[in-house]
Amino acid sequence: MNFLYPGFLFALLSVAIPVIIHLFNFRKFKKVYFSNVQFLKTVEQQRSSKEKLKNVLILLSRILAIIFLVLAFAQPFIPVNQQKRGMHNNIVSIYIDNSYSMEAINKDGNLFDEARRRAKEIVKGFGINDRFQLLTNDFEGKHQRLLNQEEFLKALDEVKISATTRNLQQILNRQENVFSGAANPYIFVLSDFQKSITATKRLNTNPDIQYAFVKLNASTLPNVAVDSVWMLSPNHQPGANERLVVQLKNYSPETAKNIPLKLSINNQQKGLGSVTIPAEQTMRDTLNFSGLSAGWQKGIVSIKDFPVTFDDALSFSFKVDKSLPVLSINGARAGNYIKALFGADDYYKLTENDERNVNYNGFTNYSLIVLNGLQNPSTGLAQQLKTYLNAGGLVVIFPDLDADIQTYNTFLTALSLPAIQKLEKTETRVDQIDLQHPIFKTVFEEIPKNLDLPVSNRYFSFAERNAVNKENILSLPGKKLFFAKYGMGNGSVYLSSTGLNVADGNLARHPVFVPLMYRVALSGGAEGALYHYLGIDHVLSGKKIVMGKNQTLKLKANDFETIPEIRQVDGKTLIYTADQVRDAGFYNLSLADSILAVYAFNSDRKESDLHYLSKTELKNLTADSRLKIFDTDQDAIKLTAGANKIGQTLWKLCLILSLIFIAAEILLIRFFNNTKRTI
């Protein structure tokens, strides 16, 4: 049996003093008793032995009641596998939740500060030869070594709030990695235990390790967060009108009224608004702005919401292109329709290649590639286009209807597109246009009646077996393909069943052709996401970056600079940040003096949900009966007294025994030999 100091010393003194007093009283009692016996010798001789026994039993019951009452407050315990554990020192891993949610407050102040106080109490309850691990959400390398008590307390004072979040299983796995040898392993997790901390319904625990969850409780707080943002157009032109959709979420059980909303681009205010959000609901608002110049844009959407403020702003970045590069690969009979179309607008920079002289290496430099009447498309071209499409490119195919069908089918099959069945030579009018498709959705202010649609004099019919990734934009009777979109990788292929020559039909001269091609060109979104989350997004994606022999990329921010690992994959560059980016804000990707990209990082919005696991829900996460769960509101005495040293505690048994002996004393006094005396 073990006792918690200084409780045991107090127990000894508390027991010794009453015993001495009772022995003194008992000696006095004996003297009086025997004198009375002599006086009443003839009257009560037969009662003397019973009276003596009664007083001895009362005294014994009173002494035992006091002893077990004192032991109950001393809280003795029997460690599991006492014999085995007594031979080794303890290794104690203590996790401190340092996520943003720990900035919440309760009656004792800040949850994060309370967690550090609790950790100090736990450490001081162990011996001087025990070793400790301090773990936080940052999973830093320096926290993988064992510390003595003094080193642990010093490291604990250096822990700061972090934007990084981890789930509970990740935390336990990391803690278990520190244990080695035959030392006694203990794991403590000090957290508010938000519901988002659990990635699975059940936890995997090690039966050789003793676990304790210390649940810190925050006061109920209202919270509204900027949940997400997205642009309605993937392409951005200088001076063009832009529309940004903002999604706000109210995590509170009450309606959030008139929340002020603000949009800033490059530190200039671009939009204002005010929204009311029902309880525990989301609300979207669209902000319109314009007047942007070419280059990278740094945007911030912010609200005013107290007292939880870490999620009141969301940063995002995007690029406004000075021009949109288009490549047209032309066959011998292609005509000049593509040149006339894109040459009419200075925003589009058209490059033309003959199909016999194509520079495959330059594909990544173009936002759109048009295959215009190719007579002999090769499988080599198809493979290069697949790489381009996987990187997010756009391809439009207008076939040469006089080309060899078998050659075209080999090319189309390599791109996972439907094969040509035959050439149809009957004049046919397009009978269906999808005006709700993103290509046409903003072209017409109202849907025209009796809309004039293109006519095809001849066209290819296709054998379409799988239309899962197909989107019909213009269709012939019977929903036959005329102009349709197919998804491939991160990009898209737009396939036409007819060519642009006059003999094929009037598509190139029809009014629908201009908005169709312009909208296709502007629908590409090869750039990366508007923003990333700290601790989650460790890989950044962008257009292929070509570097010199001794050149390196750098990721920079205020008082921060690192050289990230890079890889070239499928026509794009992947930048690996690992865990180097830890602060929210904007980071410039630089090559020499040029800024190639701007990335925005934000804290994970899972921390915004201030709903917590109850003690019962925590128990249901594991079948390990040896895992102890302490609620600091309900179990504060246990924690400070040391019951967090996991084992079989005996204080309840001691308290019950004390009550039993008190009851026994009362019964002895009241009922033992309680007949009326006669003299």
Side-chain angles (χ1 to χ4, degrees):
M1 184 183 299
N2 292 273
F3 298 89
L4 303 180
Y5 296 94
F8 181 57
L9 295 178
F10 172 74
L12 289 177
L13 292 175
S14 300
V15 171
I17 292 173
V19 169
I20 293 172
I21 293 172
H22 278 280
L23 288 176
F24 177 78
N25 290 336
F26 181 65
R27 180 176 296 180
K28 185 177 180 181
F29 166 77
K30 282 178 61 181
K31 184 177 180 180
V32 174
Y33 173 75
F34 283 112
S35 64
N36 289 338
V37 168
Q38 292 296 326
F39 180 73
L40 301 173
K41 188 174 183 181
T42 58
V43 182
E44 296 182 340
Q45 188 170 1
Q46 71 272 20
R47 297 179 181 271
S48 61
S49 59
K50 292 183 179 180
E51 191 74 20
K52 179 179 179 181
L53 177 60
K54 173 184 176 181
N55 284 280
V56 170
L57 291 176
I58 291 173
L59 176 62
L60 183 61
S61 297
R62 188 172 299 171
I63 291 173
L64 290 174
I66 294 173
I67 289 174
F68 283 111
L69 183 62
V70 173
L71 289 176
F73 283 99
Q75 296 200 38
F77 68 96
I78 301 175
V80 179
N81 301 326
Q82 182 177 7
Q83 183 177 359
K84 174 183 175 182
R85 293 184 175 275
M87 298 171 59
H88 309 291
N89 293 328
N90 301 312
I91 293 182
V92 185
S93 176
I94 301 177
Y95 162 79
I96 301 292
D97 187 351
N98 63 332
S99 62
Y100 279 130
S101 67
M102 294 291 285
E103 291 184 318
I105 58 174
N106 59 18
K107 58 183 176 59
D108 295 322
N110 185 295
L111 286 190
F112 180 58
D113 292 336
E114 183 182 358
R116 293 196 290 188
R117 290 196 305 270
R118 299 291 183 182
K120 291 177 181 178
E121 293 172 4
I122 293 171
V123 170
K124 291 177 180 178
F126 284 87
I128 59 174
N129 293 324
D130 297 330
R131 291 294 177 264
F132 307 91
Q133 179 204 23
L134 173 62
L135 185 66
T136 68
N137 286 318
D138 297 314
F139 281 12
E140 294 181 275
K142 67 180 181 180
H143 289 162
Q144 281 302 103
R145 66 186 184 94
L146 296 176
L147 311 172
N148 60 33
Q149 188 177 110
E150 183 180 350
E151 291 171 333
F152 180 92
L153 296 176
K154 182 179 179 181
L156 184 61
D157 290 334
E158 296 174 355
V159 176
K160 306 295 182 185
I161 289 291
S162 170
T164 307
T165 59
R166 308 286 180 179
N167 66 60
L168 191 52
Q169 190 63 65
Q170 289 175 323
I171 294 164
L172 296 182
N173 292 343
R174 187 80 170 190
Q175 289 182 287
E176 291 169 6
N177 290 338
V178 80
F179 299 122
S180 62
N184 304 326
Y186 294 86
I187 280 180
F188 291 89
V189 177
L190 284 73
S191 173
D192 55 2
F193 290 100
Q194 286 180 278
K195 289 189 175 181
S196 59
I197 200 173
T198 54
T200 58
K201 293 183 178 179
R202 302 290 288 181
L203 294 175
N204 295 321
T205 56
N206 188 330
D208 295 327
I209 299 174
Q210 298 187 53
Y211 300 84
F213 292 168
V214 181
K215 185 178 183 307
L216 309 171
N217 300 296
S219 301
T220 302
L221 297 173
N223 185 36
V224 176
V226 182
D227 184 72
S228 56
V229 301
W230 62 91
M231 307 288 288
L232 291 182
S233 173
N235 182 272
H236 313 287
Q237 304 178 41
N241 292 323
E242 302 280 359
R243 291 189 296 167
L244 178 75
V245 180
V246 180
Q247 179 167 290
L248 306 178
K249 187 166 185 178
N250 181 10
Y251 292 93
S252 306
E254 297 180 358
T255 299
K257 297 181 179 180
N258 300 322
I259 301 296
L261 176 64
K262 178 182 176 182
L263 169 65
S264 298
I265 304 289
N266 300 326
N267 296 321
Q268 294 183 354
Q269 182 176 300
K270 289 292 184 178
L272 287 174
S274 178
V275 293
T276 295
I277 312 171
E280 299 182 342
Q281 298 294 321
T282 59
M283 181 69 69
R284 295 176 181 175
D285 193 14
T286 301
L287 300 176
N288 299 296
F289 60 96
S290 61
L292 301 181
S293 57
W296 282 95
Q297 315 296 317
K298 299 178 180 180
I300 299 176
V301 173
S302 60
I303 61 174
K304 290 185 178 181
D305 169 53
F306 297 99
V308 182
T309 60
F310 72 87
D311 53 10
D312 287 357
L314 191 143
S315 303
F316 63 98
S317 63
F318 62 97
K319 187 179 182 181
V320 174
D321 293 310
K322 185 176 181 180
S323 61
L324 192 150
V326 178
L327 173 64
S328 179
I329 303 176
N330 302 320
R333 298 186 295 270
N336 296 321
Y337 294 107
I338 297 297
K339 181 178 181 180
L341 174 69
F342 290 112
D345 191 330
D346 292 338
Y347 176 67
Y348 299 96
K349 300 300 180 183
L350 178 66
T351 301
E352 294 187 286
N353 279 174
D354 188 277
E355 69 172 309
R356 295 165 295 183
N357 185 24
V358 180
N359 179 17
Y360 294 153
N361 293 328
F363 279 7
T364 56
N365 297 325
Y366 299 97
S367 298
L368 173 66
I369 296 177
V370 181
L371 307 184
N372 185 16
L374 301 189
Q375 293 180 309
N376 188 28
S378 65
T379 54
L381 173 61
Q383 292 304 316
Q384 294 298 323
L385 288 175
K386 285 184 70 173
T387 301
Y388 169 74
L389 288 165
N390 286 332
L394 291 176
V395 175
V396 180
I397 302 175
F398 293 106
D400 184 337
L401 300 184
D402 294 319
D404 180 63
I405 291 179
Q406 185 59 42
T407 300
Y408 252 97
N409 280 341
T410 302
F411 171 76
L412 294 173
T413 301
L415 289 174
S416 301
L417 294 172
I420 300 169
Q421 284 184 319
K422 62 179 179 178
L423 176 64
E424 302 283 357
K425 298 182 180 180
T426 303
E427 180 180 303
T428 308
R429 181 180 295 275
V430 173
D431 76 338
Q432 188 173 355
I433 180 172
D434 186 3
L435 296 178
Q436 296 303 314
H437 193 277
I439 292 296
F440 289 121
K441 198 167 184 179
T442 59
V443 172
F444 301 100
E445 293 184 359
E446 59 181 25
I447 299 177
K449 296 180 180 179
N450 301 321
L451 183 64
D452 178 41
L453 296 174
V455 175
S456 177
N457 297 329
R458 54 180 190 156
Y459 61 91
F460 282 139
S461 62
F462 293 88
E464 299 187 69
R465 298 182 178 86
N466 185 3
V468 174
N469 64 339
K470 176 189 176 185
E471 299 175 19
N472 275 321
I473 300 174
L474 295 166
S475 303
L476 296 168
K479 295 185 178 180
K480 291 183 179 180
L481 184 153
F482 184 78
F483 193 87
K485 175 184 176 182
Y486 293 85
M488 179 175 293
N490 295 314
S492 301
V493 178
Y494 292 85
L495 177 62
S496 173
S497 65
T498 188
L500 298 181
N501 289 329
V502 175
D504 300 334
N506 69 345
L507 175 61
R509 304 183 306 280
H510 195 276
V512 81
F513 181 67
V514 174
L516 173 67
M517 290 304 296
Y518 279 167
R519 294 292 298 174
V520 167
L522 296 175
S523 68
E527 294 178 358
L530 287 176
Y531 54 89
H532 303 271
Y533 287 119
L534 293 167
I536 297 178
D537 298 324
H538 299 299
V539 182
L540 311 177
S541 178
K543 293 182 178 179
K544 185 176 181 179
I545 300 172
V546 179
M547 297 185 296
K549 184 176 181 181
N550 297 320
Q551 290 182 313
T552 57
L553 292 176
K554 293 183 179 180
L555 199 61
K556 299 180 180 180
N558 295 332
D559 301 323
F560 173 86
E561 181 177 315
T562 186
I563 299 177
E565 177 187 355
I566 64 168
R567 297 179 188 175
Q568 306 287 357
V569 179
D570 293 334
K572 57 184 177 182
T573 299
L574 301 181
I575 298 101
Y576 292 82
T577 63
D579 59 350
Q580 298 175 79
V581 178
R582 297 182 179 178
D583 297 321
F586 297 102
Y587 292 78
N588 297 336
L589 183 67
S590 302
L591 179 63
D593 295 330
S594 301
I595 296 178
L596 304 182
V598 176
Y599 298 100
F601 281 88
N602 297 279
S603 59
D604 187 2
R605 265 27 187 185
K606 289 188 297 184
E607 287 290 297
S608 301
D609 189 355
L610 302 180
H611 291 86
Y612 307 97
L613 294 170
S614 66
K615 197 171 180 179
T616 301
E617 289 172 324
L618 282 173
K619 289 180 180 178
N620 293 335
L621 290 177
T622 176
D624 190 346
S625 60
R626 295 171 58 235
L627 186 148
K628 307 298 180 182
I629 299 173
F630 300 116
D631 188 308
T632 54
D633 284 349
Q634 303 172 11
D635 308 314
I637 295 177
K638 289 183 182 180
L639 286 172
T640 56
N644 48 356
K645 284 190 173 180
I646 309 165
Q648 183 177 354
T649 57
L650 302 177
W651 68 272
K652 291 183 181 179
L653 177 61
C654 292
L655 184 59
I656 292 171
L657 289 174
S658 177
L659 294 174
I660 290 173
F661 285 115
I662 291 173
E665 180 184 354
I666 294 172
L667 292 174
L668 285 169
I669 293 172
R670 184 170 181 81
F671 297 109
F672 190 93
N673 196 25
N674 198 26
T675 58
K676 188 174 181 180
R677 294 186 179 185
T678 59
I679 300 178

